[in-house]
Amino acid sequence: MSTETGPAVGAEPRGHRIAPGPKGLPFLGNMPQFARNPLAFFERLRGHGDLVQWRFGPNSCVFVADPECIGELLTETERSFDQPALGIAFRTVMGNGVVVARGTEWRRKRSLVQPSVRPKQVRSYAATMAGSTVELADTWSGGERIDIKREMAALTQRIAVRTIFGVDTPADAEAMGRAMDVAQAEIGKEFAGIGALLPDWVPTPGRARIRKAAAVIDAEVGRVVARHRDGGDERPDLLSRLLTAVDETGAHLTDEEIRDETVTLYIGGHETTSSTLVWAWYLLSRNAGARAALHEELDRVLGDREPGFDDYARLVYAQAVVKETLRLYPTIWLVTGVAKEGARIGGVAMPEGTRVWSSQWVTHRDERWFPEPEAFRPERWDADAGDEIAEYAWFPFGGGPRVCLGTRFAMVEAVLILAVLARRFELEVDPGTVGPVPTLTLQPDREVLATVRARQRVRRAG
Ligand code: HEM
């Protein structure tokens, strides 16, 4: 990688370069190219090197593509880099939950939320994950046409509502799910559109829809929290764990904090996991070898039974399918930080305020780390081969102090969903290329329609 040292990036007089990079327009810099197609823009930046200077409007930015630099950015978050403040859309929906909070407040919240998503707890959510998927599988039949995006979104929504809120009455779950969907869609639009550049006080129709959705979420979550507090008994959902969590002073989370964290976990985990599954089905449908290897593993490990938590560790190929899907289609496709005083990346001093960007999309498709990067090859993740992959060449869950809190939750959920459905069915996605659209998450650019094919009777395990 390039480790040029030299004067600090943002301290340079305008026009003087200390790192290579593209030319930009007066005032706007490279903003128009970024806005038009951020994935293609980042790919072009990569053509300038591993540490590239560019401008977002008047602000000096650096793009890093090298795993070592990405590791520095991620592991130094909070110490040398701040995460940029999130806009009004995020704050209206997620309040001051762990994704929005910064500094000391973030540290407190993270330590309160973390125990509820530990591997030991994820074990207790696994039965709901598998059971909800079995309910879906029971409604599918061979020859049926499905919209995979819609099916996966509904399934992961059901799982999120059940595991986080313990809500199982269809009316409650539906009202909450609908409001969350509106909120999430509007956050995505604001993130990817002009809304991200508008000051918080500017009223827009999207922001009005977010406020309306947030009011429904407040009321629904408020009702569920009150019911949990009244019930008193220990339940196996995430909300119950948050209700008993205490910080180092012995204080519990307030109702408002509980609302913020549960909604944060829902928004953080729902669309990310559901989109990952859509991409996984698409890739499996286009790769007969990988599909056959997955089916072989499911038949061998599960035979005629449904999977449970203990199968997760045995379903190594299914895990590799999810990892390889997240390599090619990382649902979170960029991470950024804002340099604090004294921050350095790759030996280069970053003046305070410099915004440093990296993109999973670019580094995950770099042939130096992944030979034949466009090929879907779960075998890359074989125990031996997987060890050779450079640290931070693959970072779909981020890394460092703010690494995704739901990594284990998401991996177990995705593997169990694939296992339940692929044991019984193949999904034959309609011909044609599905491309990525980078909103808040990396979304397919169109409906992903498929024909369900029932698989031949599976063999017994053993
Ligand atoms: C495939 C699914 C998922 C992907 C790709 C993903 C990715 C990520 C990434 C990249 C970050 C770090 C963002 C940054 O540093 O800017 C993150 C943070 C986070 N994720 Fe996930 N995530 C997934 C699923 C989940 C699930 C299921 C949950 C909850 C159960 C969750 C909860 C969170 C939370 C709370 C944070 C914020 C952590 C903090 O700031 O301390 N995620 N996720």
Side-chain angles (χ1 to χ4, degrees):
M1 59 146 291
S2 120
T3 53
E4 297 160 68
T5 49
V9 179
E12 288 305 303
R14 188 158 293 166
H16 180 90
R17 292 201 165 276
I18 61 99
K23 285 199 166 49
L25 296 170
F27 187 71
L28 291 174
N30 309 99
M31 197 152 64
Q33 297 134 285
F34 174 83
R36 208 173 305 129
N37 185 341
L39 300 180
F41 174 65
F42 283 153
E43 279 168 4
R44 281 202 300 280
L45 286 186
R46 165 73 197 88
H48 291 268
D50 275 324
L51 196 142
V52 180
Q53 193 179 357
W54 63 289
R55 275 196 304 118
F56 190 84
N59 303 317
S60 180
C61 296
V62 164
F63 178 76
V64 290
D66 173 81
E68 260 180 57
C69 291
I70 293 167
E72 287 175 30
L73 171 64
L74 293 172
T75 53
E76 284 296 314
T77 295
E78 294 296 320
R79 203 171 24 213
S80 304
F81 297 93
D82 280 324
Q83 286 203 321
L86 292 172
I88 185 78
F90 286 88
R91 285 183 278 120
T92 307
V93 179
M94 297 179 172
N96 197 24
V98 63
V99 164
V100 173
R102 301 287 180 257
T104 328
E105 230 179 322
W106 159 75
R107 216 160 288 126
R108 170 175 174 267
K109 295 192 169 197
R110 185 155 172 121
S111 70
L112 283 163
V113 174
Q114 202 158 28
S116 66
V117 280
R118 283 218 176 99
K120 184 167 157 261
Q121 305 298 352
V122 172
R123 165 183 278 276
S124 70
Y125 310 137
T128 304
M129 294 168 177
S132 305
T133 315
V134 170
E135 282 170 24
L136 173 66
D138 287 344
T139 67
W140 283 3
S141 51
E144 188 178 340
R145 299 276 299 153
I146 58 164
D147 173 339
I148 300 186
K149 265 206 257 186
R150 193 171 326 138
E151 298 283 324
M152 291 302 111
L155 173 60
T156 52
Q157 180 184 93
R158 207 168 310 129
I159 292 173
V161 172
R162 286 174 173 173
T163 52
I164 297 174
F165 299 102
V167 167
D168 227 353
T169 50
D172 284 347
E174 240 173 64
M176 178 145 16
R178 236 187 348 259
M180 294 278 196
D181 279 353
V182 172
Q184 186 140 24
E186 294 298 337
I187 289 179
K189 279 191 216 152
E190 173 117 351
F191 178 81
I194 194 77
L197 304 173
L198 294 175
D200 287 354
W201 53 265
V202 176
T204 66
R207 289 176 179 182
R209 283 192 291 272
I210 291 181
R211 272 200 308 279
K212 213 165 135 200
V216 176
I217 292 170
D218 284 355
E220 291 297 322
V221 176
R223 275 195 312 134
V224 177
V225 171
R227 238 186 289 150
H228 271 61
R229 285 209 193 279
D230 288 349
D233 45 289
E234 175 69 9
R235 303 184 198 206
D237 52 61
L238 235 147
L239 169 54
S240 303
R241 308 238 149 84
L242 288 175
L243 284 169
T244 54
V246 279
D247 67 14
E248 68 238 8
T249 68
H252 288 280
L253 288 157
T254 63
D255 275 6
E256 193 181 337
E257 287 175 322
I258 296 270
R259 175 246 175 254
D260 290 351
E261 298 312 338
T262 48
V263 175
T264 294
L265 289 169
Y266 180 101
I267 300 279
H270 172 228
E271 192 174 286
T272 42
T273 310
S274 117
S275 303
T276 301
L277 284 158
V278 177
W279 290 117
W281 291 119
Y282 170 62
L283 289 164
L284 283 168
S285 174
R286 297 288 184 267
N287 291 278
R291 207 166 59 239
L294 176 64
H295 289 155
E296 185 281 321
E297 178 178 87
L298 295 176
D299 292 352
R300 177 168 40 79
V301 174
L302 301 174
D304 280 347
R305 66 179 174 80
E306 301 293 356
F309 180 81
D310 290 335
D311 296 306
Y312 174 76
R314 295 181 202 122
L315 296 172
V316 285
Y317 196 82
Q319 286 186 43
V321 165
V322 176
K323 287 182 186 166
E324 183 67 348
T325 300
L326 283 166
R327 182 183 71 79
L328 279 171
Y329 295 100
T331 44
I332 300 291
W333 52 280
L334 68 79
V335 281
T336 76
V338 180
K340 296 187 187 184
E341 201 188 335
R344 300 179 79 80
I345 291 265
V348 180
M350 302 282 133
E352 200 174 346
T354 303
R355 180 127 175 209
V356 182
W357 307 63
S358 67
S359 170
Q360 289 90 335
W361 173 263
V362 172
T363 301
H364 288 188
R365 286 171 178 253
D366 187 326
E367 64 188 352
R368 289 173 298 172
W369 323 115
F370 300 100
E372 290 185 60
E374 307 291 320
F376 177 66
R377 223 184 268 151
E379 291 71 20
R380 291 180 208 274
W381 301 98
D382 282 354
D384 301 339
D387 289 346
E388 283 162 23
I389 293 170
E391 200 178 9
Y392 298 112
W394 184 80
F395 57 112
F397 295 105
R402 293 198 81 129
V403 68
C404 175
L405 270 173
T407 303
R408 179 73 166 181
F409 189 111
M411 284 299 298
V412 171
E413 180 178 2
V415 164
L416 290 179
I417 289 176
L418 277 182
V420 170
L421 296 174
R423 193 179 71 80
R424 299 196 208 177
F425 305 105
E426 280 184 28
L427 300 187
E428 198 179 295
V429 176
D430 288 3
T433 304
V434 179
V437 182
T439 67
L440 182 59
T441 60
L442 203 62
Q443 291 285 325
D445 61 2
R446 59 180 170 88
E447 283 182 321
V448 184
L449 303 176
T451 306
V452 176
R453 303 267 177 235
R455 286 189 58 220
Q456 309 236 312
R457 261 205 85 59
V458 286
R459 290 186 301 277
R460 284 217 158 269

